[in-house]
Amino acid sequence: MAKIIPFKAVRPTRDKVSLVTSRSYDEYSPGELASQLDFNPFSFLHVLNPAYANQQKAGLEKRFKLVAQKYRDFKEENIFLKEEQPVFFLYEIETKNQTFTGIIAGTTLEDYRNNVIKKHEDTLQYRVELFKDYLHQTGFNTEPVLITYPDNPEISAWIVEKKKANSLYEFSTTRREKHQLWKIDDSKEIAWLQDQFTTVGNLYIADGHHRSASAELLYQQDKNSGNENLNYFMSFLIAETNVKIYEFNRIIRDLNGHSKENFLDLLAANFWIANKEQELWKPTKKFEFGMYLDGEFYCLTLKNQHDFTSVLEQLDAQILYTQVLEPILGIEDLRNDERIDYIPGKQSIITIKEVIDEGEFEVGFMLFPTAISEIKELADNNLIMPPKSTYIDPKFRSGLVVYEL
């Protein structure tokens, strides 16, 4: 039984929302970032990178304090406003290929601890502690945890009706995405939504494992402060059939001392190999793997597809690791080995071909996307996916909704 709560959100004023909101900070190239910071005084990137104007080199603690000050400046300059009463939001992102619609709400750390909110990814402790310190120093978060819930006909019907009303915001971005936000402030509607989520069963973290873990660590650090807001973290709740799961493809710098011929012979022990030559080929089903090597594409099909005892063992990313990356290419640490890098499946496989043709990498592997059912089964069995197994849309706009701690 999941609990969601409304909260007194902070958000941009209607006239500035398209100027304020931004993509995640690390998605910008240096040139894009400089352009935004030089020519858009309202961009939330100024809050995230407050030392830019003075080209300051600040330590982490000082930088976090500068973020907090810049955020206060935005509020004092009436770029942001704060809701007078706790609210939910309905948020929709319309891209060229898909529309994503979900509910922005607070979710509870109690549900997180009790595994009502389930996880499927491991976290890096230094990243969890770093973001905990960021939250502690800045006092706000604008990156919700993306959480899926089992499809619910009543909630789906409510969303359809809610979208017929005038939205609070409607704006487009330079990436040709359309964004709309509806405020839910009616007490009866809020209570109804809360009741609905008590019946949906478990919630599943799709993206944001580090953010939720940091919220829990912050609570443990500051729980004696009496601050009720620490009991919750902001989430974007979306029906599980409405998320888009992409694979993370792998590129490797060398063949671990093997010749091309020897490498193919070693692969043939566990895979049927078909040379696709110049065809831009990628997997079409589970247990298939694409490979680009020496100017040619290959289809690798796993021979023994039934010798598994758990959902983790039969996960394509795990198969590639246990059958190829570790035993043949000598890559044991998928997070930290500098010989491996990752390319999201949203990018064309031409990108893989180009980086390998340039010579910095020698071989690339393309995977078939993980199914939501596999993610849920892993979470239900307390199993952890290999690093960089999924790239999940939608992505939330920074600065659109702020949860103050």
Side-chain angles (χ1 to χ4, degrees), residues 30-134:
E32 288 178 310
L33 191 60
S35 176
Q36 284 287 318
L37 292 168
D38 283 337
F39 300 112
N40 180 2
F42 300 113
S43 174
F44 196 73
L45 294 169
H46 286 287
V47 175
L48 300 176
N49 190 6
Y52 178 79
N54 301 317
Q55 294 297 310
Q56 294 175 307
K57 292 185 177 180
L60 283 176
E61 184 174 349
K62 182 178 180 181
R63 183 173 180 273
F64 293 162
K65 289 180 177 179
L66 288 170
V67 170
Q69 181 58 56
K70 192 65 178 178
Y71 174 65
R72 289 193 293 269
D73 291 345
F74 266 46
K75 292 176 70 177
E76 290 171 3
E77 293 166 7
N78 296 319
I79 297 171
F80 280 126
L81 57 84
K82 186 170 184 175
E83 296 291 345
E84 295 182 0
Q85 300 296 327
V87 299
F88 291 136
F89 294 103
L90 181 67
Y91 177 40
E92 182 168 276
I93 307 168
E94 183 179 340
T95 71
K96 181 180 179 181
N97 300 315
Q98 191 164 350
T99 298
F100 304 98
T101 313
I103 298 159
I104 303 170
T107 47
T108 75
L109 284 171
E110 183 179 7
D111 283 349
Y112 178 81
R113 294 185 206 107
N114 294 335
N115 220 26
V116 175
I117 299 174
K118 299 204 170 192
K119 313 92 179 167
H120 69 266
E121 284 186 7
D122 205 357
T123 54
L124 296 174
Q125 190 61 25
Y126 82 89
R127 283 187 59 191
V128 172
E129 292 185 4
L130 179 65
F131 194 63
K132 180 266 293 180
D133 292 340
Y134 172 88

Side-chain angles (χ1 to χ4, degrees), residues 125 128-129 132 212-222:
Q125 190 61 25
V128 172
E129 292 185 4
K132 180 266 293 180
S212 51
S214 296
E216 167 64 10
L217 199 61
L218 180 66
Y219 170 82
Q220 295 301 331
Q221 174 183 292
D222 297 342

